[in-house]
Amino acid sequence: MNLEIEDLRKVIDNRKHSTVVLDEVQLRIGSGELVSIVGPSGCGKTTLLEIIAGLQSKTEGSILIDQVPIEKSSANRAIVFQQYALFPWLTVQKNIQYGPRIRGVNAPERNRISREYIEMVGLAGFESHYPHELSGGMQQRVALARALANDPDILLLDEPFAALDAQTKENCQQELLYLWEKTGITILFVTHDIGEALFLSDRVFLMTANPGTITECIDVDMARPRRHSVRLDPGFRMKEAQIRSFLYNGVRELGVDQSGGFPVRLAR
Amino acid sequence: MKQAAYKIALPLLFLALWYSISRFGHISPLILPDPESTVRALISLIQSGDLALNTYVSLKRSMGGFLLGSFLGVASGILIGWSHFWEDFFDLAINFVRAIPKTALAPLFIVWFGLGDSAKILLIAFSSYFFTVIPTIEGVKNVDSLYVKTARSMGANEFQIMTSVIMPAAMPAIFAGLRLTVTTALIVLVMVEIVAGNDGLGYLLQEARGNLDMAIMFATLFALGVLGYCLDAAMQYLGKKLMPWRKGKTLSM
């Protein structure tokens, strides 16, 4: 599965004025890669992800998957949101079976699929729990399992761990790497957490705002499998500092306070 | 056990108050019957079969109207809440007709549909429609768009989104509306039976007034209370059965 995005542009027209949300976005992701997009809040990361998922329309440019332009949303591009978006009226098992069920997969096969992914995300024993009975980390694991149960070519993750506490977040990151290694799936991960992006990714794309565009691509050549101790590595910390300075400069040039994502102090 | 005692305290207090006023208050039984004669009237209504017959007639009318009206209310409410086109199309009409008190339409319905069951059932259906359509529209509009996006991203078509996301997500709001509607169906029922009935619980009240039989009137009011309470309890039970995920989800501790 290759994802190629060329000169993507997204303009949102309001009654009064139009806003260029994304402009000249170029992005190439190879099969089985895990790449991240890092950028401040409001830079258009989520819009980009939703366009790839087929949930929003693009204004110009092309999005190709294996040389074929994408059309509307489809089960082969699965998206997971920060707020989990589990269906509260379905149990864990039924949530995971949702995708197969709407595709018309029969019951025994659905059960096999949900068993497999419940096992994979370590939620055996919680099949008949409702989402509100689970912790945030468990809910996000269900959301991951639900996305994977569609056997997608690419997994689009929109700040999936942003709402979790630091420790749960690190566990979830480790588990995501485990799932990725086990399934060999392509992952596009959106976050505003530089450390998270570096820890997970093969490559990190940097995005700046107004209009949202991808300005840099940074290769992360650290060995896998990775453990959280890699964060103490001098190479890791240098890359982290490098990305931070890129993003700060991008924000400073614009002279706007993007404090939603980063603690930015404007240069005097 | 303690909770049960709390629950029964206030009704017992009322009963004691009623008893002492009717016993020691020198009030004519034409104004206020005492509890014993009310109980006797109730027993006589049960024994003669009048209570069962009239309750059956009333229940048939109110449930017929409720089911017809609320079915149409839920079905059209889902459509209106889902599509801007239908919302704009129906907006003025629904809000205008809704503003007319439904009881004010009783004379019109009687002229159009006569004194029989059809006028009563249609009037109850008419009012039930408006009491369900509004909460249904609101419930559908308030469905978290993230649920819809999630379903769509997994390849669900519009029909599947409607049945597997919108309907369950809006169900708590719809059910809250249905619960209120059952109660209002009884209100309209009694009113229309008082105005134009020759049977039913509303007619019993009217007849009791004509006969100056306050004990029968109180006994009938009690029966109406029991009926309304049971219908509400049935709706709550149905709600719990249909929405098991909401069990134990409350804000209080």
Side-chain angles (χ1 to χ4, degrees):
Chain A
M1 199 289 331
N2 285 292
L3 174 71
E4 286 173 77
I5 298 177
E6 293 286 345
D7 294 326
L8 184 72
R9 184 176 163 84
K10 170 73 177 177
V11 181
I12 292 179
D13 284 309
N14 284 333
R15 250 166 248 161
K16 294 209 179 90
H17 55 275
S18 57
T19 317
V20 182
V21 185
L22 296 171
D23 197 22
E24 292 179 28
V25 173
Q26 322 277 351
L27 189 67
R28 272 158 202 270
I29 303 171
S31 195
E33 265 193 304
L34 198 173
V35 303
S36 294
I37 297 177
V38 179
S41 301
C43 72
K45 301 175 300 230
T46 297
T47 308
L48 175 58
L49 214 59
E50 290 196 354
I51 291 173
I52 299 172
L55 296 173
Q56 287 195 41
S57 63
K58 61 184 190 319
T59 309
E60 280 169 38
S62 69
I63 301 175
L64 306 175
I65 284 185
D66 294 329
Q67 270 77 54
V68 182
I70 61 158
E71 286 174 12
K72 57 181 173 59
S73 56
S74 125
N76 71 354
R77 283 164 279 135
I79 188 163
V80 175
F81 300 99
Q82 179 189 331
Q83 304 90 328
Y84 326 132
L86 295 176
F87 301 127
W89 56 90
L90 297 180
T91 59
V92 167
Q93 186 184 25
K94 291 275 162 61
N95 260 288
I96 294 172
Q97 291 182 355
Y98 183 83
R101 189 163 58 103
I102 58 170
R103 280 201 314 278
V105 174
N106 65 31
E109 178 63 10
R110 284 207 305 267
N111 288 332
R112 191 197 61 74
I113 293 171
S114 63
R115 244 197 325 275
E116 179 186 339
Y117 289 100
I118 284 170
E119 201 76 28
M120 201 184 282
V121 297
L123 282 173
F126 291 94
E127 290 84 351
S128 49
H129 282 57
Y130 285 101
H132 76 269
E133 298 169 319
L134 305 178
S135 70
M138 288 160 96
Q139 290 190 39
Q140 193 53 288
R141 269 143 62 190
V142 177
L144 274 174
R146 180 175 63 178
L148 289 171
N150 296 303
D151 197 17
D153 296 325
I154 185 165
L155 194 55
L156 306 164
L157 304 176
D158 186 11
E159 309 206 26
F161 308 140
L164 302 174
D165 64 86
Q167 201 181 348
T168 310
K169 189 173 180 175
E170 293 199 347
N171 287 339
C172 282
Q173 290 164 352
Q174 196 79 67
E175 275 170 38
L176 180 69
L177 284 184
Y178 164 79
L179 288 178
W180 174 64
E181 276 152 20
K182 197 173 164 90
T183 57
I185 194 174
T186 312
I187 295 179
L188 177 55
F189 193 100
V190 159
T191 179
H192 61 253
D193 180 337
I194 300 170
E196 178 173 64
L198 276 175
F199 174 69
L200 295 172
S201 316
D202 296 321
R203 288 184 295 147
V204 177
F205 290 97
L206 306 189
M207 212 167 160
T208 51
N210 299 326
T213 193
I214 289 172
T215 49
E216 294 288 335
C217 171
I218 292 179
D219 282 309
V220 188
D221 44 14
M222 280 170 298
R224 293 189 188 270
R226 293 178 193 158
R227 293 284 167 269
H228 278 290
S229 52
V230 75
R231 288 168 186 266
L232 302 170
D233 185 84
F236 187 96
R237 303 180 71 157
M238 215 178 71
K239 282 229 159 66
E240 208 174 352
Q242 190 190 353
I243 293 176
R244 189 157 280 134
S245 81
F246 267 126
L247 290 171
Y248 274 54
N249 289 338
V251 171
R252 198 165 55 199
E253 272 167 24
L254 292 162
V256 288
D257 180 13
Q258 292 283 353
S259 55
F262 289 92
V264 172
R265 243 178 252 130
L266 295 179
R268 297 210 179 96
Chain B
M1 196 55 218
K2 204 172 155 194
Q3 204 192 5
Y6 274 140
K7 281 188 174 179
I8 206 133
L10 192 61
L12 281 179
L13 204 67
F14 267 118
L15 205 61
L17 197 66
W18 178 20
Y19 183 78
S20 32
I21 289 176
S22 59
R23 179 90 197 243
F24 307 112
H26 302 290
I27 292 178
S28 156
L30 288 177
I31 302 293
L32 184 73
D34 57 56
E36 297 108 297
S37 47
T38 303
V39 170
R40 270 199 300 276
L42 189 62
I43 290 169
S44 79
L45 278 177
I46 293 169
Q47 279 173 342
S48 67
D50 279 353
L51 188 68
L53 180 73
N54 288 296
T55 304
Y56 167 72
V57 168
S58 288
L59 202 59
K60 196 178 68 181
R61 287 171 186 154
S62 58
M63 286 301 101
F66 166 73
L67 289 176
L68 179 64
S70 58
F71 172 76
L72 293 174
V74 170
S76 65
I78 289 173
L79 202 68
I80 295 168
W82 179 240
S83 115
H84 286 295
F85 173 78
W86 291 115
E87 187 189 1
D88 293 341
F89 186 76
F90 280 112
D91 184 60
L92 196 58
I94 283 188
N95 283 304
F96 179 76
V97 181
R98 187 170 74 104
I100 302 172
K102 297 310 158 288
T103 46
L105 293 169
L108 179 67
F109 273 61
I110 290 167
V111 170
W112 280 355
F113 303 107
L115 291 164
D117 274 358
S118 47
K120 298 180 181 68
I121 291 174
L122 285 175
L123 188 64
I124 294 164
F126 199 70
S127 96
S128 297
Y129 176 81
F130 289 97
F131 275 100
T132 43
V133 75
I134 303 294
T136 305
I137 293 172
E138 289 305 313
V140 170
K141 280 169 126 179
N142 286 332
V143 171
D144 193 338
S145 64
L146 218 49
Y147 297 148
V148 177
K149 279 184 184 175
T150 301
R152 191 166 283 146
S153 79
M154 289 191 276
N157 60 34
E158 298 304 293
F159 178 75
Q160 287 171 323
I161 289 173
M162 184 78 95
T163 54
S164 69
V165 177
I166 301 290
M167 274 160 47
M171 209 188 298
I174 294 173
F175 242 84
L178 288 177
R179 240 184 105 186
L180 283 178
T181 308
V182 165
T183 317
T184 54
L186 278 189
I187 295 174
V188 177
L189 167 88
V190 170
M191 188 279 308
V192 76
E193 280 178 348
I194 287 173
V195 176
N198 44 25
D199 50 9
L201 292 171
Y203 172 75
L204 272 190
L205 290 175
Q206 184 69 350
E207 195 188 40
R209 188 188 66 95
N211 295 339
L212 300 178
D213 194 338
M214 296 305 281
I216 293 282
M217 191 185 282
F218 268 59
T220 310
L221 286 173
F222 178 76
L224 271 169
V226 171
L227 184 64
Y229 187 88
C230 289
L231 287 176
D232 187 59
M235 287 303 292
Q236 274 187 286
Y237 177 78
L238 195 64
K240 274 186 190 142
K241 280 284 148 199
L242 286 174
M243 298 179 285
W245 70 92
R246 290 178 66 81
K247 200 167 62 188
K249 225 184 163 185
T250 61
L251 287 175
S252 64
M253 317 251 299

